[in-house]
Amino acid sequence: MSVNQDPVRRLKGYERRALILDAARTLFSANGYDAVSMRDIAVSAGITRPVLYDHFSSKKALVLDLLTTETEALIARIAVAVRSDAAPTERLSAALRAYFKFMIDRPLASRLILTPATDPDVAEVTTHLRDLAEKGVLTLIAPEPAAALAPEPAVALAPESATASTPASATASTPESATASESATASAPASAGRPTARQPDPHSLEIAATILVSSIVAVANWWLTHPEVPPDTLVDTTLTLIAPGLTTLTEPPR
């Protein structure tokens, strides 16, 4: 009697799904969405195309799942790092450090988020994710935010490929716990001795958030080809350029 030696066929459904997502993340990040086929993903995952379609009805459905999952993980990580009672520049600094740390820990996910796709539906989702980013930054830079940046529900992430290229300062990725994510939603009371901040025109804050997101994305894309640059250099340089303007926009009245 013959025995099936293929270990992939003995995987449980959720394990096979994680294997597919890991293969797709690697391929999309390395080659771009448009250059990757479902056959490529099946071959990389070591499964047949029918098995792949059992889990995802199309390549679009697969990449949308990846984009949503990775963006939720990034938002949750930033939420944990940011204190709502800090000054706008301090909140932005903490968010930047969490963002670039995410890029170190999950380089393939970062490339996936930053790589554009020509498919209209995928482009629509990336536009929506950018809108979420601008709203998040708007929360960070508001003089008196109503609440801390709220994380999305915790998600389980498939481990990235061990062969992924990471910056020299990379450290091992640790999934955020549900407890840590929940703690980020608590708004700390404002400092009693802090002067009341200026309330700038809402349109000015929206413009500032748009500029900041565009600048941060540009820096992140640059870092993909300069991984030897320490993240502290990215954060410090970015803040040196934008902090004066942000302070002018939100500083307390004199």
Side-chain angles (χ1 to χ4, degrees):
M1 181 176 65
S2 62
V3 177
N4 187 349
Q5 297 296 326
D6 187 356
V8 174
R9 295 185 182 278
R10 294 198 295 269
L11 291 176
K12 295 181 180 179
Y14 71 91
E15 294 173 322
R16 188 177 294 110
R17 181 184 177 89
L19 190 67
I20 293 169
L21 289 172
D22 188 45
R25 183 187 294 109
T26 301
L27 290 173
F28 287 145
S29 301
N31 304 317
Y33 172 80
D34 300 306
V36 177
S37 68
M38 289 292 270
R39 180 182 182 279
D40 295 331
I41 297 170
V43 170
S44 180
I47 60 175
T48 63
R49 274 187 289 179
V51 171
L52 175 57
Y53 281 107
D54 283 343
H55 290 273
F56 296 97
S57 60
S58 65
K59 185 175 72 165
K60 184 197 319 179
L62 202 164
V63 76
L64 295 185
D65 187 291
L66 276 173
L67 282 171
T68 302
T69 298
E70 299 298 350
T71 302
E72 287 176 353
L74 174 58
I75 291 173
R77 181 171 295 199
I78 292 175
V80 170
V82 173
R83 290 176 46 208
S84 64
D85 63 330
T89 52
E90 294 171 345
R91 295 197 297 267
L92 185 59
S93 175
L96 284 172
R97 293 183 192 283
Y99 175 56
F100 291 126
K101 181 63 163 56
F102 179 87
M103 288 188 68
I104 288 176
D105 291 345
R106 301 192 63 77
L108 297 181
S110 301
R111 284 173 171 80
L112 177 67
I113 293 171
L114 293 171
T115 301
T118 58
D119 183 281
D121 291 322
V122 177
E124 182 179 347
V125 170
T126 56
T127 298
H128 175 64
L129 296 179
R130 186 183 180 91
D131 289 342
L132 288 179
E134 291 180 2
K135 290 178 182 177
V137 169
L138 187 59
T139 300
L140 293 173
I141 65 176
E144 298 293 343
L149 180 65
E152 297 291 331
V155 290
L157 298 179
E160 290 190 343
S161 170
T163 59
S165 173
T166 60
S169 57
T171 57
S173 175
T174 355
E176 285 73 26
S177 66
T179 302
S181 295
E182 289 168 2
S183 67
T185 61
S187 297
S191 300
R194 179 176 299 154
T196 302
R198 173 192 298 176
Q199 297 300 321
D201 185 310
H203 289 155
S204 297
L205 284 177
E206 291 177 8
I207 293 169
T210 300
I211 293 172
L212 286 171
V213 169
S214 297
S215 300
I216 293 166
V217 168
V219 171
N221 273 303
W222 178 85
W223 197 30
L224 291 178
T225 57
H226 300 79
E228 73 282 357
V229 177
D232 284 346
T233 299
L234 300 177
V235 175
D236 294 342
T237 303
T238 302
L239 288 177
T240 296
L241 291 174
I242 65 178
L246 183 58
T247 300
T248 300
L249 191 64
T250 61
E251 66 183 359
R254 300 184 181 220

